[in-house]
Amino acid sequence: MPQTPQARRNVSEIPTYVPGKPPTPRPGLTTFKLSSNENPYPPLPGVLDAAMSAAAAMNRYPDMGNSALYAALSDTLDVPVDDTAAATGSVALIYQLFNAFCEPGDEVVYAWRSFEAYPIAATAAAAVSVRVPVLADGRHDLDSMAAAITDRTRVVIVCTPNNPTGPAVTQSELDAFVARVPSRVLVVVDEAYLEFVRMDDAIDGLATYRAHSNVVLTRTFSKAYGLAGFRVGYAVGPAPLAAALRAVSLPFGVSSVAQAAAIASLAASDALFERVDALVAERDRVVGAVREAGWEIPDAQGNFVWFDSGERTAAFAAAADELGIVVRPFAGEGARVSIGETEANNRLISLAQTFVL
Ligand SMILES: *Cc1c(COP(=O)(O)O)cnc(C)c1O
């Protein structure tokens, strides 16, 4: 047998990302995709125009330094430009964090079940995942996560609100946790859904990053801002950490269209908050109705709801598909369903009322 080129051993161990499926087309029935936590709204005011003007200059490379985007983030968030790093979605930032901070065999600690990109990114970086089960109510077990930190740990991730289970950590919980993490360990607070949080003692990510030299926030334009197709997210962290993230980024990763759309989105905050409020109201309506139908739903702080359907998860997803809505099943565990158009949410409520666990 001739020898063939071999990828590093960890590459064959990378789990496959299961993307949210598109709905099965059903003649005469509008179908809805509730499987990827996307935003059902069209672009925010001014965003399409900004993206189209940028698209007209597609023969030019984007600004590799993302300078206008960094300036806009710095203005909006009141943070130094040097404390920001943009990438093609916050998924890319998570890859970059592991690549920049982990030697092969180093450990990264995160809750499980949580965002399915974590084990993929960790394995791609040849890091070792230490998964700490979430509590029965879907919250992070921060005590056990702190206890799971060893000499090999380089990164811990707090996903808040947690995808896919829904609850968010409080500021007091986060403070107590960070106080237990050695300062040489990076604490990543994944705030992909921060705009949707409505709870007492909600975390103030920016205040937390300002108070520590080892805290990095990751955020995205994919969810509340509705730019999932353009791939742009950002990190905020102390300048040396942000610099490490920039250093390992793909050159010219964030397209000029994505940069322009992100900047225009930051300028449309009034319209953004209005839409987010409407989605939050829909979320709370769905959670109320579904609980009334007898389901135990964990606290839902993102733009999605977790159904603890256990062994009946495949049947639940199939029943949803029959109704023209597609959900994100995790076989044998449960299903995550995004808050979408009112009609889609109504169908989800009917499903919850009629489906027998
Ligand atoms: C959706 C999501 C992200 C970000 O996705 P990008 O589109 O890559 O910005 C990050 N973290 C969590 C927990 C998510 O659910």
Side-chain angles (χ1 to χ4, degrees), residues 127-185:
V128 174
S129 287
V130 176
R131 302 173 179 199
V132 178
V134 295
L135 299 167
D137 60 4
R139 288 184 308 125
H140 277 40
D141 182 352
L142 291 170
D143 280 337
S144 300
M145 287 176 68
I149 293 171
T150 71
D151 289 347
R152 292 305 300 266
T153 308
R154 303 299 302 270
V155 179
V156 294
I157 304 182
V158 177
C159 182
T160 180
N162 187 48
N163 172 8
T165 57
V169 307
T170 63
Q171 185 69 53
S172 339
E173 289 167 342
L174 185 61
D175 287 342
F177 177 71
V178 177
R180 286 183 65 185
V181 177
S183 60
R184 60 170 186 82
V185 174

Side-chain angles (χ1 to χ4, degrees), residues 1-6:
M1 279 288 278
Q3 282 198 337
T4 55
Q6 296 295 308

Side-chain angles (χ1 to χ4, degrees), residues 1-312:
M1 279 288 278
Q3 282 198 337
T4 55
Q6 296 295 308
R8 289 194 301 173
R9 191 151 44 104
N10 57 297
V11 173
S12 63
E13 292 161 1
I14 297 174
T16 316
Y17 192 100
V18 183
K21 277 199 313 182
T24 311
R26 299 198 179 269
L29 184 68
T30 315
T31 53
F32 298 97
K33 181 173 177 226
L34 303 179
S35 53
S36 298
N37 294 348
E38 292 155 343
N39 191 315
Y41 287 98
L44 286 162
V47 173
L48 196 54
D49 284 345
M52 293 205 303
S53 319
M58 64 175 73
N59 55 313
R60 303 291 174 193
Y61 280 103
D63 170 13
M64 183 171 149
N66 298 304
S67 44
L69 176 56
Y70 289 150
L73 286 169
S74 166
D75 261 9
T76 308
L77 308 172
D78 192 21
V79 300
V81 163
D82 287 350
D83 289 14
T84 59
T88 55
S90 50
V91 160
L93 290 160
I94 290 158
Y95 271 71
Q96 288 165 221
L97 282 162
F98 292 163
N99 280 319
F101 291 92
C102 297
E103 304 285 351
D106 280 345
E107 293 171 0
V108 299
V109 173
Y110 50 84
W112 200 252
R113 184 169 275 280
S114 186
F115 187 32
E116 79 172 307
Y118 301 153
I120 298 172
T123 313
V128 174
S129 287
V130 176
R131 302 173 179 199
V132 178
V134 295
L135 299 167
D137 60 4
R139 288 184 308 125
H140 277 40
D141 182 352
L142 291 170
D143 280 337
S144 300
M145 287 176 68
I149 293 171
T150 71
D151 289 347
R152 292 305 300 266
T153 308
R154 303 299 302 270
V155 179
V156 294
I157 304 182
V158 177
C159 182
T160 180
N162 187 48
N163 172 8
T165 57
V169 307
T170 63
Q171 185 69 53
S172 339
E173 289 167 342
L174 185 61
D175 287 342
F177 177 71
V178 177
R180 286 183 65 185
V181 177
S183 60
R184 60 170 186 82
V185 174
L186 178 60
V187 178
V188 178
V189 184
D190 183 339
E191 294 195 281
Y193 302 97
L194 87 138
E195 295 86 356
F196 301 102
V197 174
R198 300 287 182 278
M199 65 193 277
D200 291 339
D201 199 20
I203 70 166
D204 181 339
L206 291 168
T208 310
Y209 120 86
R210 285 190 183 101
H212 299 279
S213 57
N214 63 333
V215 172
V216 171
L217 316 174
T218 58
R219 295 179 169 185
T220 181
F221 287 98
S222 298
K223 308 286 163 57
Y225 285 96
L227 297 184
F230 277 179
R231 314 304 305 126
V232 51
Y234 64 94
V236 180
L241 308 187
L245 282 177
R246 292 187 189 191
V248 297
S249 67
L250 279 184
F252 304 109
V254 185
S255 72
S256 26
V257 176
Q259 292 184 36
I263 293 165
S265 298
L266 288 172
S269 54
D270 288 351
L272 170 82
F273 292 132
E274 229 170 81
R275 289 167 178 204
V276 167
D277 280 345
L279 287 168
V280 166
E282 275 295 276
R283 173 190 76 200
D284 294 348
R285 179 176 77 90
V286 168
V287 169
V290 165
R291 282 187 178 147
E292 201 153 295
W295 290 80
E296 271 184 42
I297 299 293
D299 190 27
Q301 292 291 332
N303 63 341
F304 55 89
V305 179
W306 174 251
F307 288 79
D308 193 355
S309 42
E311 294 305 321
R312 294 275 289 147

